Amino acid sequence: MKPLAEVAVIGAGTMGAGIAQVTAMAGYPVRLFDVEQGILDRAMVHIQQNLSKGIERGKVSPEQQRLSLQCLHTTTDLATAADNAYLVIEAIPEVLEAKQQLLRQLDTLCPTDTLLCSNTSSIRIADLATVTARPENILGTHFFNPVHIMPLLEIIITKQTDPDALQRIQQFARAIGKESIVIQDFPGFATSRLGVCLGLEAIRMLEQGVASAKDIDKAMALGYGHPMGPLKLTDLVGLDVRLQIADYLNNSLTGTNFQAPELLRQMVKQGKLGKKSGQGFYHWE
Ligand code: NAI
């Protein structure tokens, strides 16, 4: 990657803030965009707190915190965010039409060699690439939550992806300290397809009374060595996010069972979205 290349991150929610943080920590100037300044201010507070926790734990130096914060700029003007960006990563909600609309805009605002990447957790990248005039420069860059801790970057390529674009993203992954894997463009890729499958089955088991949430999670944590059980992980990701992915995969993959359990739909309707709402399969303070 060119030295000091500008990176734009679109959407300053859970994932966008995290992606902006790790990118700035690697020294890239970052322009973080969202639709309201209040959201951007909250994201900056969150990033600052994360970096301070890093200092307490001896993982980040005060100088690193200062330099990272210096690299971060916020804006509510998409043209300012996109202007001359080397790389744009979108992390707006998991809604195909919204992502397509954003990519159409970015396609007209960014230089033709800017890589436009999506942090989608399930949507086929080709369905995003086709709305732009640069399908060869569109890739999936799927980060994991919390971004500053999870070491993986899942890169998704389509049949049209330029090998040079892939190389540029692999280089970016190394620069921000992530281990990358390259996945072909199937809905749900590798991680979400496997992770959501396990999560939905765990909810079905809870619904059927097979065991308590705690014991279902313990089964996978202690029996299979997973760092966290599938229900707790669903709480962390957000039940609404998981439901959107399940519905998308159910409609786009054949020969698999991604039908969302009724319990998941009910909990989302009741606002039990997991950690972010304080209540999911567990109670969160
Ligand atoms: P979020 O709801 O926390 O944040 C989304 C942000 O996008 C909000 O701040 C919202 O104001 C902003 N936004 C909405 N429409 C916009 C637009 N048109 N332009 C700019 N900003 C816009 O969502 P979250 O959880 O960060 O997810 C974002 C993406 O990352 C989704 O595609 C999701 O599937 C994916 N993802 C989520 C993970 C998670 O654990 N939450 C993990 C990996 C991927």
Side-chain angles (χ1 to χ4, degrees):
M1 189 146 181
K2 293 179 207 162
L4 299 179
E6 300 267 350
V7 177
V9 178
I10 313 299
T14 310
M15 296 304 291
I19 295 166
Q21 180 188 329
V22 296
T23 306
M25 284 178 79
Y28 295 105
V30 177
R31 286 182 236 132
L32 181 58
F33 168 90
D34 209 301
V35 289
E36 281 173 29
Q37 189 57 44
I39 298 173
L40 290 165
D41 294 343
R42 277 201 298 280
M44 287 303 295
V45 169
H46 186 68
I47 291 171
Q48 213 153 359
Q49 285 170 345
N50 271 347
L51 290 167
S52 298
K53 266 189 222 157
I55 293 177
E56 279 165 32
R57 291 179 187 153
K59 307 239 177 214
V60 177
S61 70
E63 179 65 356
Q64 227 180 339
Q65 179 185 43
R66 193 183 63 76
L67 291 175
S68 304
L69 292 173
Q70 242 178 33
C71 283
L72 281 160
H73 308 276
T74 61
T75 179
T76 54
D77 178 40
L78 193 61
T80 304
D83 183 41
N84 267 325
Y86 175 80
L87 162 66
V88 180
I89 302 174
E90 74 76 18
I92 71 167
E94 189 76 352
V95 179
L96 174 66
E97 296 72 26
K99 288 189 189 288
Q100 286 178 328
Q101 198 194 336
L102 174 68
L103 283 165
R104 269 189 214 104
Q105 282 176 282
L106 289 169
D107 195 32
T108 60
L109 292 170
C110 296
T112 48
D113 61 347
T114 302
L115 299 178
L116 301 183
C117 296
S118 174
N119 187 52
T120 173
S121 27
S122 61
I123 296 171
R124 215 186 330 241
I125 301 303
D127 292 343
L128 302 175
T130 47
V131 303
T132 74
R134 65 180 84 201
E136 70 285 0
N137 279 340
I138 312 287
L139 300 96
T141 46
H142 185 202
F143 289 82
F144 296 83
N145 185 16
V147 182
H148 63 292
I149 291 173
M150 301 302 279
L152 183 66
L153 178 63
E154 185 175 38
I155 301 173
I156 301 101
I157 54 170
T158 71
K159 291 197 170 69
Q160 287 177 285
T161 305
D162 181 349
D164 181 55
L166 172 59
Q167 260 189 24
R168 284 161 68 192
I169 287 299
Q170 285 174 314
Q171 209 178 336
F172 172 69
R174 280 193 295 275
I176 60 170
K178 299 293 176 202
E179 187 83 37
S180 64
I181 53 174
V182 180
I183 305 294
Q184 301 296 323
D185 190 26
F186 285 83
F189 328 126
T191 52
S192 298
R193 187 162 165 180
L194 288 170
V196 172
C197 177
L198 189 67
L200 293 178
E201 204 52 37
I203 300 168
R204 265 189 277 279
M205 285 164 65
L206 187 66
E207 211 168 34
Q208 291 164 3
V210 172
S212 67
K214 221 169 137 194
D215 282 349
I216 291 170
D217 275 352
K218 248 190 197 171
M220 298 318 287
L222 301 187
Y224 275 67
H226 289 196
M228 185 187 299
L231 295 169
K232 191 168 178 197
L233 183 59
T234 304
D235 265 9
L236 289 190
V237 172
L239 274 67
D240 51 339
V241 177
R242 276 282 163 106
L243 178 58
Q244 273 168 340
I245 300 171
D247 284 342
Y248 176 76
L249 294 182
N250 195 43
N251 289 329
S252 53
L253 281 170
T254 46
T256 48
N257 181 13
F258 282 97
Q259 198 150 18
E262 194 46 36
L263 176 61
L264 178 61
R265 276 191 205 289
Q266 286 308 323
M267 288 177 73
V268 171
K269 255 193 208 147
Q270 292 161 8
K272 295 178 183 166
L273 306 182
K275 189 177 179 191
K276 63 184 163 190
S277 72
Q279 183 66 49
F281 299 105
Y282 295 89
H283 183 70
W284 298 83
E285 294 301 323

